[in-house]
Amino acid sequence: MKKLLKNGIAFALVSAMAVSAFAAKKKGSDQIKIGGIFPLSGAVAVYGVECKNGIDLAIEEINAAGGVNGKKIILISEDDEGNQDKTVNAFKKLTIKDKVSMVIGSLTSGCTMAITPLAQASKVVQIAPAATATAVTDAGDFVFRACFIDPFQGTVGGRFASENLGLKRAAILYDIGNDYSVGLTENFETAFKKNGGSIVAKESYSTGDKDFNAQLTKIRNANPDVVYLPDYYGTVALIASQLRAQGINTPIVGADGWDGLTSNAGDEVLNGFYSNHYAPDSTSPAVQKFVKSFKSKYNKEPNAFAALGYDSVYMLRDAIKAAGSTDAKAVRDALKKTNSDYVTGRLSFDAKRNPVKSAVMVEIVKGADGKLTSVYKATVNP
């Protein structure tokens, strides 16, 4: 009798374990795990927080509509603080511990390129929402991006300053140690000269510098009619304040790293223009739907990083649907064939998995409420 009882208990335990394992497996099979790496704190936290907000909104919408191929998407996110070593640690955690096969991130080019070789080696699909440096996709065919690249963006800035604003004498102040800033500078200079302009001053500084008055004095003495500032919003806010204090009242032009400037600067950035991935005041139905949904969820207007994060999720959704699988190789192959409309424009990929799409130029102005905002100014096609 004891033996029968003992055997019965053992059988019940084994059965319970089997049921539990089956349930866990079933639960896991109903989910599509996507890893996310963002600077949610640190000097460029605006980029990461807004990008994650856009991603969360997209996942919420997709899951509410039934998910992808009957499965719900879940995001496992990590904060890299804009630090390359932490980006690497986050990637290893997501791919080894959490076993994700698709990663969105990181945001800046340096942090993103710290993990592209790892993504390629481990055959993990990586989508960089906003890393614009040319070399980002060089690691291999598992690496994609949602944004246009620096050569195009620098060219857009140069063409806009010369063609749209009709300016002929440009000064450039850039970060000599930042690939993003250097790449934009080179392409702005080429495009501006090609359109009949001249570079009357070209000054540099190092990452982390706070005092730019020596460089700005040289720029003021060169008498430019436009100043190009290719850097991130925190540094641009400092430069713009010192630039205006020196009496340089020309237009200032920049790139997508300015996104977030309206919340972190004052009137010194008025008469400022920058290239970006979308304009929230666009009349595009896709843009208006996204802006309305984002405002409803977060009670604020989405910036370009939110839009790029949102598009990154929908790109993955479309690729998973087309592949009929979450296998990384199948998703990669489907992504390469992307040719669809998203919030940041109609997107297809070139041979290096860089998007072929237009850019917009926006102007910083004061809204009716007296606060700084960005408004659509022009579209520049590839």
Side-chain angles (χ1 to χ4, degrees), residues 72-140:
K72 297 295 179 72
I73 298 175
I74 63 166
L75 176 71
I76 305 173
S77 66
E78 298 292 329
D79 178 10
D80 68 4
E81 301 175 29
N83 178 289
Q84 295 182 25
D85 291 336
K86 292 182 179 181
T87 310
V88 170
N89 291 336
F91 181 87
K92 290 178 178 177
K93 185 261 183 184
L94 288 169
T95 55
I96 296 171
K97 180 181 177 182
D98 300 312
K99 301 189 184 307
V100 304
S101 59
M102 292 168 276
V103 171
I104 298 174
S106 185
L107 272 292
T108 61
S109 294
C111 287
T112 301
M113 287 192 287
I115 58 173
T116 52
L118 301 179
Q120 186 65 29
S122 54
K123 294 181 170 53
V124 168
V125 172
Q126 179 187 1
I127 295 182
T132 54
T134 307
V136 164
T137 59
D138 286 352

Side-chain angles (χ1 to χ4, degrees), residues 155-168 191-192 195 226 251 253 273 359-363 376-381:
T155 299
V156 165
R159 285 171 53 187
F160 176 80
S162 57
E163 295 175 6
N164 296 74
L165 298 181
L167 304 173
K168 297 299 180 185
F192 193 73
N195 281 277
V226 62
V253 176
F273 307 83
V360 300
M361 290 297 300
V362 297
E363 179 180 5
Y376 171 79
K377 192 72 177 176
T379 296
V380 182
N381 293 310

Side-chain angles (χ1 to χ4, degrees), residues 20 32 70 191 226 245-246 285 305 357:
S20 177
I32 298 172
V226 62
Q246 287 221 21
F305 294 92
K357 62 179 182 180

Side-chain angles (χ1 to χ4, degrees), residues 182-316:
V182 171
L184 287 167
T185 293
E186 292 172 351
N187 289 282
F188 173 89
E189 185 173 2
T190 298
F192 193 73
K193 287 179 177 178
K194 186 177 180 180
N195 281 277
S198 61
I199 306 300
V200 297
K202 185 177 179 181
E203 299 294 324
S204 65
Y205 54 89
S206 298
T207 304
D209 284 356
K210 304 294 184 185
D211 186 348
F212 309 94
N213 281 292
Q215 297 96 320
L216 290 170
T217 297
K218 293 178 182 178
I219 286 174
R220 183 190 63 203
N221 292 338
N223 194 31
D225 54 20
V226 62
V227 179
Y228 189 58
L229 303 176
D231 209 329
Y232 304 130
Y233 66 89
T235 302
V236 171
L238 285 173
I239 294 173
S241 179
Q242 294 173 35
L243 179 146
R244 299 306 190 203
Q246 287 221 21
I248 304 171
N249 297 314
T250 66
I252 52 176
V253 176
D256 65 335
W258 284 29
D259 212 355
L261 192 58
T262 54
S263 301
N264 292 276
D267 288 0
E268 63 273 8
V269 296
L270 291 172
N271 203 18
F273 307 83
Y274 63 98
S275 52
N276 214 346
H277 305 270
Y278 101 119
D281 56 340
S282 165
T283 56
S284 159
V287 170
Q288 291 307 303
K289 175 181 177 295
F290 165 66
V291 171
K292 182 179 179 181
S293 298
F294 193 94
K295 282 184 174 179
S296 176
K297 184 173 176 65
Y298 299 109
N299 196 32
K300 59 182 176 179
E301 188 171 86
N303 67 15
F305 294 92
L308 288 165
Y310 184 88
D311 279 356
S312 295
V313 177
Y314 274 97
M315 286 160 54
L316 277 177

Side-chain angles (χ1 to χ4, degrees), residues 22-80:
F22 176 77
K25 183 177 180 181
K26 186 175 187 299
K27 182 180 179 181
S29 67
D30 288 340
Q31 296 177 340
I32 298 172
K33 293 191 293 185
I34 296 175
I37 304 175
F38 320 101
L40 301 176
S41 59
V44 290
V46 167
Y47 302 161
V49 170
E50 290 301 286
C51 183
K52 185 177 181 296
N53 284 343
I55 288 171
D56 287 340
L57 175 61
I59 290 173
E60 183 180 288
E61 290 176 354
I62 292 167
N63 287 343
V68 189
N69 300 335
K71 299 180 179 182
K72 297 295 179 72
I73 298 175
I74 63 166
L75 176 71
I76 305 173
S77 66
E78 298 292 329
D79 178 10
D80 68 4

